[in-house]
Amino acid sequence: MGNGMGIVADTGEEKASAPIRIGLVDNDPYAVKVLQTMIERMASDFRVVWTCDLGAVAISRCLNPAKRPDVLVTDMSMGDVSGTEVCRAIRAKTPEVGLVGVTSYSLASFRDEAVRCGAQALVAKTDLSGIARGIRCAARGMPMDGDAEGNGVGRGGAGFMDAISAHMLLEDAGYAVRGALSAKERETLRLYAEGLTTREIAVRLGVSAATVATFERRACAKLGARSRAHAISICVRRHEI
């Protein structure tokens, strides 16, 4: 961490009425403590609800509705999982956590991958006002805007996306890797969307109810869907049923 880490800056940001719940991950225990103290001093509505030193733990907590923060602040360089992979794993599954990357190294070395992995901002650890602004933007699911010169390096800017758009892109990319739905899988979801029961679909398709369940299970796996309703909503959005 740079020398500027010990100075708490007045960010000039308007205080939000509700607390912003923040998760923090950095594989350096000292850095975690210092960064936690700095963030909590930045604004009265910033609440660090948990910290950890493993990327895998941060991913698990962000995907758990009971532990999910509004914003995750993640170091880019960690031992078990890189910060960019932490962002990718979370963003591919949910748009509900704002993602802010921080680093002591060159921003340029992480920026493009941070964009691709669905982060809303990438900020130097010494840029206290930038961290505060990044947290506020990410809490709304929005990307941070550019710096004073408008080049957007290290402060969101061109390329960084809102959380929902980034989630949809990563979800679609995962779908492409897993494979397209078969005609039977697509038809099964279409008939469920029309309100038919499993038994009625089995009669319509001329197969057993167990086979219909298999079509549904495979479709959900290919789509990365959490449920039948989620799978149907994905297909409707993509105009597949």
Side-chain angles (χ1 to χ4, degrees), residues 183-195:
K184 293 292 188 182
E185 291 161 354
R186 188 179 300 107
E187 182 67 3
T188 295
L189 292 182
R190 187 186 68 78
L191 293 173
Y192 273 127
E194 291 182 359

Side-chain angles (χ1 to χ4, degrees), residues 56-134:
V57 172
I59 293 168
S60 175
R61 290 180 180 178
C62 286
L63 297 181
N64 182 339
K67 297 181 179 180
R68 179 180 295 155
D70 300 313
V71 177
L72 176 70
V73 177
T74 177
D75 185 31
M76 290 287 99
S77 301
M78 292 187 291
D80 66 325
V81 182
S82 69
T84 52
E85 287 306 310
V86 168
C87 290
R88 185 192 301 275
I90 295 167
R91 184 58 71 235
K93 294 292 186 181
T94 180
E96 296 183 30
V97 180
L99 301 172
V100 176
V102 294
T103 183
S104 297
Y105 299 100
S106 166
L107 296 172
S109 62
F110 295 106
R111 185 177 185 279
D112 289 346
E113 190 63 15
V115 170
R116 286 192 289 269
C117 291
Q120 276 59 69
L122 175 64
V123 192
K125 286 185 176 179
T126 53
D127 184 0
L128 304 186
S129 64
I131 293 173
R133 291 183 61 242

Side-chain angles (χ1 to χ4, degrees), residues 3 50 96 154:
N3 294 332
W50 53 257
E96 296 183 30

Side-chain angles (χ1 to χ4, degrees), residues 133-152:
R133 291 183 61 242
I135 289 172
R136 289 204 182 280
C137 289
R140 302 193 307 271
M142 300 305 295
M144 197 170 167
D145 59 11
D147 61 15
E149 283 70 42
N151 59 31

